[in-house]
Amino acid sequence: MARITENMTTARVLADIQSIATRLSDTQERLASGKQLTKPSDDPFAVGRALQLRDDVAQTNQYKRNVLEASSWQTITDTALGNVGDAVKRAQELLVEGSSGTVGPEGRQAIASELSQLVEQIKSDANTQYAGRYVFAGAKTTQQPYTPGASDAYAGDTNAIVREVGPGVQVQVNSIGSTVIGDTNSGLLKALRDAISDLNAGNQSALSTTDLQALSTAADGITNERAVVGARAARLDAASSRLDEVLGVGTKLLSETEDTDMAQTAIDYSTQQAVYTAALRAGAQLIQPSLLDFLK
């Protein structure tokens, strides 16, 4: 039978006290941090799950930021299109007036002048920016799509800008200026320029037929684009609500995985502290004899 020496007893007592002190320190750290998992060795499986949940929550937050930006883009776009729509309505009223036989050359020139101002107003609205980016310029968001003055050339492109609002789910956020507003050769701007030219030339036949029809078609295009923007906004609102639900579930699961049960941990800490104190007292009694005691 092995003989238990004083050194063995002392080493065992100290090891037990150190073990209790380590558990007490770990519990104290959980209380201080509020986290159940303070290092990977606490629970490797739970730590891996917590890391995955953290990634999921971070990704969901990014989707929410994308939705917020896309929604703001739609609000800015809709406001600009609303202004353009108001300008087009005024242009239609002026063209109806100008196409009547009761307006003389001076009256037609005055109407043509006001239409020219409406063209500049429309191009100004088409140069609307969101966060420093031109919303009607296609993917050329740093390029002003229209310039003031006689030229109605479109300087943007026809590329879509999309934002990812969910795993594999993308939404186009921009409206293309050349399609909605037109340019030198087509669309709203050309319809207005043709009407101005016919007013100055006194071409009442064209004013009352082709010009009015072209302007009416352009007005329908503005209305249709606003409907598209509204549908996008509704889709983004739905995506935002869905992401809120996903974020709530993910955050709850993450909390359940890594957060400390503060009440239970406080009880554990109190218990372990009492055990530690008792162990110190018992240990002090066990290893109290010293070399002088043996020499007496």
Side-chain angles (χ1 to χ4, degrees):
M1 182 176 179
R3 178 173 174 269
I4 300 175
T5 66
E6 189 70 27
N7 286 340
M8 292 173 61
T9 301
T10 300
R12 179 60 181 270
V13 168
L14 292 176
D16 289 343
I17 291 174
Q18 181 60 44
S19 176
I20 297 170
T22 299
R23 291 198 300 272
L24 181 62
S25 176
D26 290 343
T27 303
Q28 186 177 33
E29 186 175 356
R30 288 195 291 272
L31 277 175
S33 67
K35 298 298 180 183
Q36 183 68 23
L37 305 174
T38 58
K39 52 185 180 296
S41 60
D42 289 337
D43 185 339
F45 176 78
V47 169
R49 177 176 171 78
L51 289 174
Q52 182 60 57
L53 287 169
R54 281 178 181 271
D55 288 343
D56 292 344
V57 168
Q59 186 64 71
T60 302
N61 278 320
Q62 181 60 58
Y63 290 143
K64 282 205 45 86
R65 288 191 290 272
N66 291 349
V67 167
L68 178 61
E69 183 198 25
S71 296
S72 298
W73 193 301
Q74 301 317 296
T75 299
I76 294 295
T77 301
D78 184 65
T79 299
L81 289 174
N83 293 338
V84 171
D86 291 341
V88 172
K89 287 179 182 178
R90 176 57 181 163
Q92 288 176 305
E93 293 171 357
L94 290 171
L95 200 53
V96 168
E97 180 183 350
S99 64
S100 68
T102 60
V103 178
E106 291 184 359
R108 288 194 297 271
Q109 287 181 0
I111 292 173
S113 178
E114 186 172 348
L115 285 180
S116 295
Q117 293 302 312
L118 289 174
V119 168
E120 294 305 308
Q121 177 185 327
I122 289 169
K123 289 199 291 184
S124 177
D125 287 317
N127 288 335
T128 293
Q129 298 180 64
Y130 167 67
R133 292 168 293 177
Y134 292 98
V135 300
F136 291 103
K140 289 186 174 182
T141 55
T142 60
Q143 175 68 52
Q144 180 175 279
Y146 297 99
T147 56
S151 174
D152 295 330
Y154 176 65
D157 61 29
T158 58
N159 294 323
I161 295 175
V162 299
R163 291 291 180 267
E164 191 169 8
V165 298
V169 180
Q170 295 184 330
V171 175
Q172 180 175 338
V173 301
N174 64 327
S175 298
I176 307 302
S178 58
T179 301
V180 182
I181 307 300
D183 54 24
T184 304
N185 301 311
S186 63
L188 173 60
L189 293 179
K190 184 176 187 304
L192 288 170
R193 293 297 189 187
D194 288 346
I196 291 169
S197 177
D198 289 334
L199 281 165
N200 287 328
N203 188 349
Q204 284 187 255
S205 175
L207 289 171
S208 60
T209 54
T210 56
D211 290 340
L212 272 175
Q213 181 58 49
L215 199 55
S216 178
T217 300
D220 290 342
I222 298 297
T223 300
N224 292 338
E225 188 63 23
R226 290 195 75 182
V228 170
V229 171
R232 283 182 196 148
R235 182 182 178 186
L236 290 167
D237 286 343
S240 180
S241 297
R242 179 182 58 80
L243 289 171
D244 283 338
E245 294 176 2
V246 172
L247 186 60
V249 172
T251 302
K252 183 175 183 291
L253 289 174
L254 180 59
S255 177
E256 291 174 350
T257 301
E258 67 175 8
D259 288 353
T260 296
D261 182 339
M262 298 300 287
Q264 182 60 51
T265 305
I267 293 173
D268 292 344
Y269 180 74
S270 178
T271 301
Q272 291 167 7
Q273 195 171 41
V275 171
Y276 181 62
T277 301
L280 287 176
R281 289 173 181 167
Q285 292 176 355
L286 285 173
I287 63 176
Q288 186 176 20
S290 65
L291 179 61
L292 290 176
D293 294 318
F294 287 104
L295 292 176
K296 288 180 180 178

